[in-house]
Amino acid sequence: MGGLWIGQNVNLLPIEASANAPVYDELFRVLFSIGTILFIGILGLVIYSLIRFRRKPGQLSDGIALEGNLPLEIFWTAVPAVVVLFIGIYSYDIYDRMGGMTPLAHGDMHTHNSATTESKIWGGIGNASEKTGYESSIASLPIEVTAMQFAFLFHYPEGDIISGELHVPVGRPVSMRMESNDVIHAFWVPEFRLKQDVIPGQPTILNFTPTKPGRYPVICAELCGPYHGGMRSTVVVEDPNEYQTWFNKNAKDETLKT
Amino acid sequence: MSFSNLSLEKQSYKLQPSGWLRYLSFSLDHKVIGLQYLICGFIFYLIGGALASAIRIELTSPISDFMPREVYNQVLTLHGTVMIFLWIVPVVNGAFGNYLIPFYVGARDMAFPRLNAVAFWLIPPAGLMLISSYFITGAAESGWTAYPPLSITTPAAGQIIWILSVLLLGGSSIFGGINFIATILKLRRPGLKLMQLPMYCWAMLGTSILVVLSTPVLAGTLILLSFDIIANTGFFNPALGGNVIVYQHLFWFYSHPAVYIMVLPAFGLVSEILPIHCRKPLFGYSTMVYSIMAIVVLGLVVWAHHMFTSGTPPWMRLFFTIATSFIAVPTGIKFFNWVATLWGGKISLNSAVLFSCGFIVNFVLGGITGVALAQVPFDIHVHDTYFVVAHFHYIVYGGSVFVIFSAIYHWYPKFTGRLMNENLGRIHFLLTFIGFNLCFAPQHWLGLNGMPRRVAEYDPQFAFVNQLSSAGALLMAVSTLPFLWNAIRSLFNGQIAGDNPWNGLTPEWLTSSPPPVENWIGPAPLVKEPYAYGVNKKNQNLDLNESNESTSPNQ
Amino acid sequence: MTTIAPNDKKIDEEISSEAEDHQDHRLFGLLAFLVADGMTFAGFFAAYLTFKAVNPLPSDALYELELPLPTLNTVLLLVSSATFHRAGQALRRNESKSCQNWLITTAILGLAFLASQMFEYFTLPFGLTDNLYASTFYALTGFHGLHVTLGTLMILIVWWQARSPGGRITSQNLFPLEATELYWHFVDGIWVILFIILYLL
Ligand code: HEA
Ligand code: HEA
Ligand code: CUA
Ligand SMILES: [Cu+2]
């Protein structure tokens, strides 16, 4: 029970800043609870046995000649099996709610029909907005991400903006198509609980919906050379008006300014 | 058993050097080879540990100040490679396997003694080559996983040397695996059934199957990678139309089983150590055997859990999530069986048992984080972060290394005829256990909160926790001193152990300590119940031992 | 491959002294080694098939492999397996002369295979680094070719050793011949798979 309490009440994670972060944290709490219960249980058993059954001075006899106990063994085969099955099904559900099982498509089909949607997409996370209660009626914001040693470049096809910093409006789904110029990198925002490798020659997709304004680190999580540790950027989640201001200031295509 | 050939065999051994010199020779004696593996491995452990210390020193500050960034990458690549391929794998397999397996199957040597010596002697040159690459050309910089295209674009010389030495070490491991399989299946003393073998034999059989099935794939992959580097082919080079994900699949097809290659023998060793010191039979022998085999089978089909963020299709991720999670079931059986072995025993709380129990506790934590990592949505956040680093150090260090120490305390009297000092052993355990947890427990938090792995510079907010971790590493470094002192001093004036200080029943204890060249003077004992401890078994035991003494040569 | 060092008398005796019911474990060891070797090929095959499935070449870079030569090669190897088998039978019947003849026939077939493979290499329209398929093609066939080369050398050694009198390989000491034969069948089997995957699929 102590384990359950720890699992539910100790928070080890950074702030939740995307639609799937609360979903992730739900899974985390469940796993953490199960893990803590198991760990404390086994730790307790081992310590108890070591104290209770230790050899006292002068004792020379053997322990009991217990070679096994089939029902007991079946029991502790079955219990982990059930636990594991539960964890598996539950994490499938979580994964689905995060958009992992949604067919991958970049951007919104109506606004976006260029070559990017035709080329083969290799994997990533689909759009979770419908499943997490966020409005899916808003067209998602397409962004093209290029990673190189040792920087990320964000290209907004809508305003033809190229930026080293990722700006996204809060509440609007974002759809990123990522590709690398040289070696494998990875796009990671801990506050979004999302990570996706950026691979040369094989574009990947990452969709998410930011929910909390703020500045969060974008971290490269795949060893990519000497400056891998320095390969960072920032994602600025701002409210739609501020985002629009930023967009207007930088957009090259005048007609898109509103 | 026929004696006729014995004198003839003796002669061939006479040609070999005796005394400590034989440890530097091309000896064919499995016991000598086993100790060669152990000592050689330990030296590499010190080197790998020194490299780890360099890593931890660099990470005490959030900026890259202790060494240049390239050097940091070289150091971490060397650390991973040395620890895995030159310390854990050779020691849990080669050292204890060579020393113990022939005893356990009742043979006088391995099936192929010469191949055995060759397998060992591949290791020192490969290791020296790897280490020296650091001084000559600069070592490989792309991590122990050597993912292309990074490994193709970093300086070629170091990477090629890395590939060559890993190929040699893989070859050594394959030869060893073939030898173990043949010894266990074919050299068993007549009358000894498979299900009567000590558990370590089963562990080594399973491990060797994994070695034989998966190591060659790594070899092939590295050969292709070296073509990419030298011959300008494009297997894994996207610039030339290649596919980097294929490399990852092939690499992990070996390297996931490799983690069981590092831990299954350790499971086996624990299963030998606990019953003797608890004076109880090993709980659930046959389920232990089946769970080893289940781990072998499952271990071959879970590799892609290292690639959840690599752009693998959803169905693939799900399959690998489920398969990986299920490994917890057979592994769990083993853990519960060990706890049940402790239960109701008469446990001597000596260093060997302490380290074994430390292993149980640490490994369970590492295993639980492993099962969490196996869940795709969970892994998407923590992949390639310090959470993973914490996971695997809990298993490789808290698991395998703890078991190696436990096994050294346990078998030292067999190796040398003398006991190690218990007080120093307990100090060693305490320092290691505290240092280890202090070093790696905080890394879970680091990973969850945003510190990626393989970085020399990081967000200043993590500085304190990193310093904590480095302090733990320092404690671990200090903890090696009492151990080294203990091991060396006990060699000369440790307490004389007698032949069987623990009253063990497994065959290696039924001969002198250290054992004679042919393992037994006279016929090999036929031990059908290696774990027949326990009060109401006592009389039976005595019978068993007596009938062994009187075994007639032609039985 | 020291396992099969043909004159390893000591190992022989040691083994027979330990377990009378298993005379010789070297063939078993070789078998395990072949499983390992087979896994190397399996890795290559898997890589090739994946490349093929996910990295299609642009149509202008496609090529057709000519079939006649590799088919001839397949026949050469299959026949050589049969001739090797005959050699073994002959030796067991103590017909040393006929054994030698079969062996040399097998070696010649192996050499013919290598020659024809070389010829194919020189006439192919693509080189090692042209594209992914080209590289994989050469890696696979080259790795197999190395095996054939090694096998042919072994056959020649066995043949030399089988020349009585004074030769070491007799019906009493079959191991070197049996080991080489096993290896040769293995290499043939791999070729058949390779032929299907590389040329027919
Ligand atoms: C000896 C080495 C070893 C061992 C035995 C294991 C065992 C396991 N490992 Fe680990 N692992 C590594 C070494 C090891 N690992 C290394 C080196 C890496 C990093 C490689 C790199 O990238 O450099 C890694 C990485 C790694 C990853 C990839 C992480 C990432 O990069 O994102 C994953 C993901 O699934 C994983 C999972 C597991 C699982 C499920 C087990 C299971 O076998 C654990 C099973 C054990 C238990 C679960 C505990 C006992 C069971 C019970 C008490 C029963 C009850 C339990 C439950 C019901 C849960 N490991
Ligand atoms: C397999 C076994 C193994 C073992 C036993 C260890 C042991 C240790 N590891 Fe290891 N580690 C790996 C395998 C292992 N590691 C792997 C596979 C990686 C991944 C590499 C990669 O990413 O590619 C890794 C990565 C890794 C990292 C992450 C680096 C990064 O991602 O940036 C860190 C950081 O803390 C670390 C620390 C340690 C520490 C402190 C120890 C300590 O336990 C070490 C304790 C031992 C000592 C301290 C020795 C003491 C002796 C001396 C100091 C005396 C020296 C004297 C002479 C040389 C004569 N390791
Ligand atoms: Cu880019 Cu690490
Ligand atoms: Cu794994």
Side-chain angles (χ1 to χ4, degrees):
Chain A
M1 286 307 102
L4 200 62
W5 184 85
I6 294 180
Q8 296 302 322
N9 290 291
V10 176
N11 186 18
L12 291 177
L13 288 161
I15 1 174
E16 304 170 341
S18 79
N20 73 311
V23 185
Y24 179 92
D25 292 10
E26 189 187 321
L27 171 71
F28 181 81
R29 275 192 294 276
V30 170
L31 289 177
F32 192 35
S33 304
I34 296 178
T36 320
I37 294 170
L38 273 172
F39 179 64
I40 292 182
I42 293 204
L43 182 68
L45 277 176
V46 169
I47 292 179
Y48 177 80
S49 319
L50 286 186
I51 294 173
R52 168 81 173 68
F53 301 113
R54 78 179 184 286
R55 179 174 294 273
K56 322 237 165 23
Q59 252 181 1
L60 288 173
S61 60
D62 277 5
I64 40 172
L66 186 63
E67 292 200 316
N69 179 334
L70 200 60
L72 207 57
E73 286 169 57
I74 291 178
F75 170 73
W76 61 53
T77 311
V79 169
V82 170
V83 173
V84 152
L85 204 63
F86 163 74
I87 296 180
I89 293 171
Y90 182 61
S91 78
Y92 166 81
D93 178 52
I94 295 281
Y95 189 47
D96 190 31
R97 278 154 69 191
M98 281 170 58
M101 303 306 289
T102 324
L104 292 169
H106 175 54
D108 204 50
M109 287 306 192
H110 308 292
T111 57
H112 214 69
N113 59 352
S114 60
T116 43
T117 38
E118 280 159 29
S119 68
K120 193 161 166 21
I121 299 297
W122 291 81
I125 295 286
N127 206 329
S129 48
E130 319 97 68
K131 302 226 165 81
T132 41
Y134 281 86
E135 274 210 66
S136 53
S137 54
I138 315 175
S140 61
L141 171 67
I143 299 175
E144 280 158 12
V145 182
T146 311
M148 66 200 71
Q149 287 169 327
F150 297 91
F152 292 104
L153 273 190
F154 303 100
H155 177 230
Y156 294 69
E158 280 181 3
D160 200 15
I161 304 174
I162 293 183
S163 164
E165 229 180 34
L166 180 61
H167 283 254
V168 288
V170 75
R172 180 169 174 198
V174 176
S175 175
M176 300 195 309
R177 180 187 190 273
M178 310 195 287
E179 196 163 351
S180 166
N181 278 351
D182 35 50
V183 300
I184 306 178
H185 304 269
F187 175 96
W188 179 35
V189 179
E191 283 78 4
F192 292 173
R193 314 282 192 275
L194 279 179
K195 180 182 295 113
Q196 176 59 52
D197 283 6
V198 189
I199 303 164
Q202 309 192 357
T204 48
I205 293 284
L206 188 65
N207 292 342
F208 61 90
T209 311
T211 56
K212 194 177 192 127
R215 297 173 66 87
Y216 311 109
V218 174
I219 300 167
C220 173
E222 183 71 54
L223 180 62
C224 54
Y227 288 85
H228 160 60
M231 182 164 165
R232 295 164 147 267
S233 173
T234 310
V235 48
V236 186
V237 181
E238 44 204 0
D239 71 51
N241 294 332
E242 279 175 53
Y243 171 75
Q244 204 57 49
T245 324
W246 175 84
F247 184 85
N248 289 346
K249 204 168 92 221
N250 292 285
K252 297 208 180 64
D253 190 345
E254 294 295 322
T255 55
L256 277 165
K257 292 185 179 174
T258 41
Chain B
M1 294 272 102
S2 59
F3 274 124
S4 46
N5 294 325
L6 220 66
S7 53
L8 210 146
E9 286 169 35
K10 276 266 163 52
Q11 265 170 5
S12 63
Y13 281 113
K14 264 197 203 120
L15 296 175
Q16 312 231 330
S18 58
W20 63 272
L21 258 182
R22 78 198 131 118
Y23 293 102
L24 292 176
S25 73
F26 191 83
S27 172
L28 299 187
D29 182 348
H30 70 100
K31 297 181 289 299
V32 174
I33 296 179
L35 292 178
Q36 284 174 330
Y37 267 109
L38 185 63
I39 294 163
C40 171
F42 199 84
I43 293 171
F44 281 114
Y45 169 62
L46 290 180
I47 296 174
L51 292 161
S53 309
I55 293 179
R56 286 314 325 168
I57 293 173
E58 169 68 70
L59 293 177
T60 47
S61 70
I63 49 169
S64 166
D65 46 7
F66 181 65
M67 49 188 151
R69 293 173 176 82
E70 303 79 15
V71 176
Y72 181 84
N73 288 352
Q74 297 179 10
V75 166
L76 96 98
T77 305
L78 284 181
H79 165 70
T81 315
V82 167
M83 285 295 198
I84 290 179
F85 293 107
L86 289 159
W87 160 235
I88 308 279
V89 172
V91 171
V92 290
N93 291 278
F96 293 105
N98 274 305
Y99 202 96
L100 297 174
I101 294 290
F103 281 109
Y104 286 172
V105 299
R108 297 191 190 275
D109 208 324
M110 298 285 287
F112 312 115
R114 200 152 304 190
L115 183 70
N116 205 16
V118 170
F120 169 73
W121 282 106
L122 283 175
I123 292 182
L128 286 180
M129 194 162 90
L130 183 69
I131 305 286
S132 62
S133 73
Y134 175 84
F135 299 102
I136 298 169
T137 59
E141 293 177 17
S142 50
W144 85 282
T145 49
Y147 275 10
L150 184 64
S151 48
I152 301 173
T153 50
T154 45
Q159 198 66 48
I160 288 293
I161 296 180
W162 181 89
I163 291 177
L164 274 178
S165 44
V166 173
L167 283 177
L168 284 178
L169 295 168
S172 153
S173 165
I174 295 175
F175 291 153
I178 293 173
N179 218 335
F180 287 126
I181 296 182
T183 308
I184 295 171
L185 292 183
K186 293 289 181 182
L187 276 201
R188 247 172 312 125
R189 188 189 190 293
L192 191 61
K193 295 203 181 61
L194 274 176
M195 287 307 261
Q196 294 166 337
L197 288 174
M199 193 55 59
Y200 184 60
C201 291
W202 281 102
M204 283 306 297
L205 185 61
T207 310
S208 304
I209 293 174
L210 283 179
V211 167
V212 167
L213 289 183
S214 62
T215 317
V217 177
L218 176 74
T221 314
L222 292 183
I223 290 172
L224 292 187
L225 183 65
S226 64
F227 279 150
D228 273 5
I229 296 173
I230 322 172
N232 206 24
T233 53
F235 299 110
F236 308 126
N237 190 350
L240 302 173
N243 186 325
V244 293
I245 307 297
V246 171
Y247 173 88
Q248 299 183 10
H249 277 293
L250 292 172
F251 178 84
W252 290 113
F253 182 81
Y254 163 74
S255 290
H256 182 81
V259 311
Y260 296 107
I261 294 169
M262 291 190 273
V263 95
L264 276 181
F267 287 175
L269 293 171
V270 172
S271 308
E272 300 307 328
I273 295 168
L274 285 181
I276 292 190
H277 296 283
C278 300
R279 313 307 303 163
K280 273 191 66 196
L282 182 67
F283 193 92
Y285 180 94
S286 44
T287 36
M288 290 289 236
V289 171
Y290 298 136
S291 57
I292 287 176
M293 290 307 154
I295 293 176
V296 168
V297 174
L298 280 173
L300 281 171
V301 295
V302 302
W303 73 89
H305 64 217
H306 297 272
M307 304 166 54
F308 284 152
T309 70
S310 305
T312 34
W315 66 265
M316 203 189 259
R317 301 187 205 184
L318 269 178
F319 170 78
F320 284 104
T321 287
I322 303 290
T324 309
S325 308
F326 265 98
I327 287 201
V329 178
T331 320
I333 294 174
K334 302 190 72 72
F335 279 81
F336 293 120
N337 281 350
W338 287 323
V339 174
T341 307
L342 293 175
W343 196 267
K346 292 280 190 309
I347 307 168
S348 322
L349 261 188
N350 51 27
S351 318
V353 172
L354 284 175
F355 270 103
S356 281
C357 292
F359 149 81
I360 296 182
V361 170
N362 295 332
F363 188 96
V364 165
L365 186 56
I368 288 170
T369 53
V371 172
L373 284 172
Q375 313 308 317
V376 195
F378 182 87
D379 187 65
I380 281 176
H381 176 46
V382 293
H383 169 69
D384 261 331
T385 67
Y386 265 80
F387 192 90
V388 176
V389 175
H391 155 70
F392 69 75
H393 282 92
Y394 261 87
I395 290 188
V396 290
Y397 196 98
S400 307
V401 180
F402 269 58
V403 173
I404 292 173
F405 283 133
S406 173
I408 292 176
Y409 285 105
H410 180 77
W411 277 289
Y412 193 86
K414 179 87 297 184
F415 298 159
T416 64
R418 289 171 189 272
L419 290 164
M420 284 177 85
N421 182 307
E422 269 304 317
N423 288 332
L424 281 174
R426 294 206 176 103
I427 295 178
H428 175 212
F429 172 74
L430 219 67
L431 286 177
T432 313
F433 191 77
I434 297 174
F436 164 74
N437 280 290
L438 184 62
C439 181
F440 294 112
Q443 292 184 356
H444 292 110
W445 183 86
L446 285 176
L448 288 169
N449 280 277
M451 179 158 166
R453 61 191 277 207
R454 296 170 163 173
V455 293
E457 52 208 313
Y458 54 87
D459 194 327
Q461 72 178 63
F462 300 128
F464 174 69
V465 179
N466 267 302
Q467 283 153 8
L468 219 62
S469 170
S470 297
L474 180 68
L475 213 55
M476 285 161 93
V478 172
S479 79
T480 14
L481 297 178
F483 172 77
L484 271 178
W485 171 246
N486 197 352
I488 294 169
R489 209 197 55 144
S490 303
L491 204 55
F492 303 106
N493 51 8
Q495 193 191 329
I496 301 289
D499 285 347
N500 193 352
W502 317 122
N503 284 318
L505 289 181
T506 37
E508 85 273 27
W509 296 110
L510 308 178
T511 179
S512 65
S513 296
V517 171
E518 296 285 333
N519 294 352
W520 293 278
I521 313 279
L526 180 63
V527 180
K528 293 195 166 186
E529 284 197 75
Y531 305 113
Y533 307 100
V535 268
N536 39 11
K537 282 242 170 181
K538 212 49 202 219
N539 301 333
Q540 229 173 304
N541 281 356
L542 286 177
D543 287 356
L544 188 87
N545 287 343
E546 258 153 34
S547 66
N548 279 339
E549 304 302 82
S550 58
T551 328
S552 60
N554 49 10
Q555 183 188 330
Chain C
M1 295 283 297
T2 37
T3 29
I4 52 155
N7 50 355
D8 223 338
K9 285 238 173 52
K10 204 193 130 285
I11 297 178
D12 244 335
E13 264 137 22
E14 207 162 67
I15 286 160
S16 50
S17 81
E18 280 304 326
E20 290 87 338
D21 50 341
H22 310 113
Q23 285 305 314
D24 192 338
H25 313 298
R26 288 174 296 175
L27 267 183
F28 181 81
L30 178 64
L31 209 64
F33 178 82
L34 291 182
V35 171
D37 204 11
M39 284 307 290
T40 321
F41 278 106
F44 285 157
F45 290 148
Y48 175 79
L49 290 176
T50 324
F51 286 148
K52 201 168 158 115
V54 300
N55 290 51
L57 278 186
S59 53
D60 55 321
L62 283 181
Y63 56 86
E64 277 292 325
L65 282 173
E66 299 286 337
L67 270 183
L69 211 53
T71 313
L72 173 70
N73 277 347
T74 313
V75 174
L76 282 177
L77 277 192
L78 288 179
V79 172
S80 76
S81 254
T83 53
F84 207 144
H85 187 68
R86 297 300 291 271
Q89 283 179 329
L91 190 61
R92 275 184 203 91
R93 282 196 310 266
N94 255 330
E95 294 164 10
S96 174
K97 191 71 213 154
S98 125
C99 168
Q100 286 167 43
N101 290 340
W102 284 120
L103 277 175
I104 199 74
T105 321
T106 315
I108 288 170
L109 285 169
L111 287 173
F113 172 89
L114 286 172
S116 130
Q117 177 101 66
M118 276 300 144
F119 180 75
E120 189 190 9
Y121 277 5
F122 284 118
T123 50
L124 280 174
F126 51 85
L128 175 64
T129 57
D130 277 10
N131 60 45
L132 198 52
Y133 294 123
S135 306
T136 327
F137 174 86
Y138 283 112
L140 265 171
T141 49
F143 193 58
H144 178 265
L146 272 182
H147 279 74
V148 178
T149 315
L150 190 70
T152 313
L153 280 178
M154 275 160 49
I155 295 173
L156 286 174
I157 292 173
V158 169
W159 169 73
W160 186 260
Q161 295 276 336
R163 288 179 333 143
S164 50
R168 282 215 196 78
I169 291 162
T170 59
S171 52
Q172 271 74 51
N173 183 18
L174 274 170
F175 173 71
L177 183 130
E178 280 181 327
T180 314
E181 183 176 349
L182 187 63
Y183 177 80
W184 192 250
H185 292 327
F186 165 79
V187 172
D188 288 356
I190 292 286
W191 172 262
V192 173
I193 303 176
L194 193 150
F195 177 67
I196 293 172
I197 291 183
L198 224 51
Y199 292 92
L200 298 186
L201 281 191

